[in-house]
Amino acid sequence: MPNQIGKRYVCGSCDTQLLVTKPGTGALECHGEAMTIEKPKPLPASD
């Protein structure tokens, strides 16, 4: 799967984050494991 431009990838072991600024076809790895796309954090509820 190609790296998605503008997406933030995170390591499940050490929480290192990478922001993809140029598309590519290689897999992003940290500690020998594939990095995953960070899920957006929910917005806080407004009163």
Side-chain angles (χ1 to χ4, degrees):
M1 171 188 221
N3 301 326
Q4 296 181 23
I5 193 165
K7 297 291 182 179
R8 187 177 308 267
Y9 288 76
V10 65
C11 173
S13 298
C14 67
D15 291 328
T16 294
Q17 297 181 5
L18 296 174
L19 180 62
V20 176
T21 59
K22 294 183 181 180
T25 57
L28 297 173
E29 291 186 359
C30 188
H31 295 98
E33 298 179 17
M35 297 179 83
T36 58
I37 296 176
E38 184 178 51
K39 295 184 177 25
K41 295 181 174 102
L43 295 174
S46 60
D47 294 330

